[in-house]
Amino acid sequence: MDTEPKHISLGDVCFLDENTQELVKDLNPIPLSTIQYRLLHYLALHLKGAVTGDELITYAWGEGAYISRDILYSEINILRKYLESDPKNPEILISLRGLGYMLFPRKK
Amino acid sequence: MLDDTGLKQVYSDLLNARIVISPWLAGIDIQDRFDPGVFEFLNEWAGGCAASLLSDEVRISSFNTIPIPSGFPQKALYETASSTAVSMAHEQTGTLYVGEKLARKAISRIELFIRSQGLGPLLEFYRIINLYESMNALTYYGEIPEREFLLGKWHRPWIDYSLDDELVMGVMEGFYQMSVADSHRFIALTESGLRFFKQIKKVLAESGYFKNRLSQLHVSQFNLYTNYEVIAQEIWPDASHTRSYFLDWVDIQPGMKVLELGCGSGPFTFEGGLAERVGSQGRITAIDPSAGMIKRAISKLQAQDFPWVTFIEARAEDLPFENDSFDAVLGTAFLHFTDRDKALKEMARVTRPGGTVASCHPLRLSFDKPFFREWFAPLLNKASQNDNPKNYLPLAQEVLDSFGQAGISSLITEILPFPALFHNPQKVVQHFIYGVGLFQEEMADLPHRARKELIDDLIHTGEEVCQKYSPGERIMDMPNQLIKGIAP
């Protein structure tokens, strides 16, 4: 069994644990649903790069899924509640009109 | 439920209330909603409003025995509020950015409308225009795969929700039918759906809806076209000489009081030399209906020293000036965007008797160059299929007649063509389709995906045409009319 910790850093005292599929923030593990984990994983792989809503939907739900963007938005909002100090004014998971989304490293 | 006359009346009431139901403005090619705070604010308002106002009375009078999906009224109100807000942003700032202040203003327009007309008519009209978009695409494609239909991929890419409610309703009402082929499910119109589509198309045409839909489609396209002036300079490099020539031709003198119409961001005022010519002893008032353009013009003005120039947001058809206020009233490339007769009457009114009224504007194009016919063949064919090929640019004689009818005398006119260079397919298509708005009527009834494919094809064909024809053969003269006369 692979017990070596695999962490993707999301900035200051915050990372994604690939083994447990948890978001760890200030040493507190936050359990994620499979979809939430995949979304955050994709965003983390493209840290500071724009990803489109369609890319995220395909990665998280699979090719050809009947998923409309409002379902994506509600998952993004949940992720914002976990990541942001003020989810209504996001500074980490940003929407870019015309482009999609961008994840920035957390700054403490 | 509204009959045809009722629907037309509601549309005219919505226009009077300055409410814009153009759902694509809320999201076309933008791929995201407003900032989360603004979205939540609008969405919560829409939910609350729908919940409190959708009474039994509204259900019966507007929907009779048709079931109403629970999410429908909220979506209708949200999309109406957001497209109204986006359209206000476009008018006031020239951008599509909506903050909470604009969102509140949009809401108050809608609440005012609902207080006098009720919620029902708004919901009914919203339903009809969305059915038009779906049914138009189903007519065009014959059938649409279920997933593409539900997610609006081919026909309503601006939606961010699934159209399952609409599909269920459509099948129930007998407008849509489903079939299975090649292990996929497809949606098509039934006979009765096609009849209903033809009927709403007729009503919407008679109400003037399509004319406004056209300009609202142009709003979303034009705003995505951020480098208009740079590309225009590349495509018709001589257009700026035409402006300077016009300035001499009209004989603007230092010290004159001048009104410039449709000034845009100031290409005639500054680069064209109008401000310099009139000088510090004179006075220039420059107007444009777009607040965004005025903003850009003012920021250009701040970088220069022309205290005798003032920019004001105003429309040519309704000039906010006293009679006989100016020595000369003129503009470049604006007359074809106005209601010409109204604008000229206003121009004559604010010019002092004996003063000059003048315009420099593009004329109707003839598409007879072989390279152009080959390049734009699909659109030219579509245009010739119409009973009445549409072209919003005027003929020289039509403009002369309008000047005469406005009481302007001693008319002198000159045709001064300037070349347009068709060298870079990507830029040519962007400039003429999105910027100039050529063939927009021919493209308007295409579903979104077909329109996008047509544009991609135009760029592709353009590359072939550029290989086949030499640069010298790929030049087209853009006819341009200069006209001046004496105000009564």
Side-chain angles (χ1 to χ4, degrees), chain B residues 5-218:
Chain B
T5 320
L7 272 175
K8 285 183 217 165
Q9 185 57 47
V10 169
Y11 185 58
S12 130
D13 294 342
L14 285 166
L15 284 180
N16 285 334
R18 293 191 293 150
I19 291 171
V20 176
I21 310 188
S22 301
W24 56 86
L25 280 187
I28 194 167
D29 281 344
I30 287 172
Q31 292 211 1
D32 198 20
R33 292 169 172 164
F34 302 131
D35 295 343
V38 174
F39 164 73
E40 259 174 57
F41 171 68
L42 280 174
N43 202 39
E44 275 170 25
W45 165 80
C49 192
S52 64
L53 295 175
L54 197 65
S55 60
D56 281 341
E57 196 194 328
V58 173
R59 287 169 181 272
I60 294 165
S61 66
S62 288
F63 296 91
N64 199 7
T65 57
I66 304 174
I68 307 166
S70 61
F72 168 77
Q74 181 173 2
K75 278 173 204 152
L77 285 163
Y78 173 79
E79 285 187 2
T80 303
S82 56
S83 63
T84 301
V86 169
S87 156
M88 288 163 81
H90 170 71
E91 278 170 19
Q92 295 174 14
T93 65
T95 71
L96 301 181
Y97 177 78
V98 170
E100 195 172 316
K101 209 172 135 196
L102 267 185
R104 279 183 197 283
K105 280 191 189 161
I107 285 176
S108 61
R109 284 187 189 177
I110 296 167
E111 286 179 340
L112 201 65
F113 177 88
I114 293 175
R115 266 203 292 281
S116 68
Q117 316 278 339
L119 176 62
L122 191 150
L123 294 182
E124 283 188 67
F125 195 81
Y126 170 86
R127 175 170 168 267
I128 294 295
I129 63 159
N130 279 309
L131 277 175
Y132 168 79
E133 298 293 339
S134 291
M135 290 179 155
N136 184 45
L138 288 167
T139 311
Y140 180 87
Y141 288 113
E143 55 185 13
I144 297 180
E146 182 183 17
R147 178 173 178 273
E148 277 62 31
F149 182 88
L150 288 176
L151 299 178
K153 296 259 179 203
W154 289 9
H155 63 309
R156 282 161 68 182
W158 52 84
I159 57 163
D160 53 26
Y161 46 86
S162 165
L163 293 174
D164 45 1
D165 282 345
E166 188 184 304
L167 177 59
V168 171
M169 298 286 296
V171 170
M172 203 210 77
E173 286 180 87
F175 294 157
Y176 299 162
Q177 59 191 357
M178 296 190 70
S179 60
V180 176
D182 302 333
S183 56
H184 285 290
R185 306 210 299 176
F186 292 88
I187 324 291
L189 277 187
T190 60
E191 285 291 316
S192 129
L194 186 61
R195 270 199 304 279
F196 186 76
F197 172 62
K198 285 181 177 158
Q199 187 197 339
I200 58 175
K201 194 173 170 180
K202 183 167 166 277
V203 174
L204 290 173
E206 286 166 6
S207 70
Y209 169 75
F210 290 123
K211 214 177 139 217
N212 290 311
R213 177 178 176 273
L214 202 63
S215 64
Q216 299 293 357
L217 280 174
H218 195 61

Side-chain angles (χ1 to χ4, degrees), chain A residues 4 8 10 17 19 23 56 69 78 97 107-108:
Chain A
E4 202 183 317
I8 303 180
L10 301 177
D17 186 327
N19 289 326
L23 168 67
L56 283 169
R69 288 202 302 272
I78 296 170
R97 291 199 90 185
K107 288 204 178 88
K108 239 195 137 177

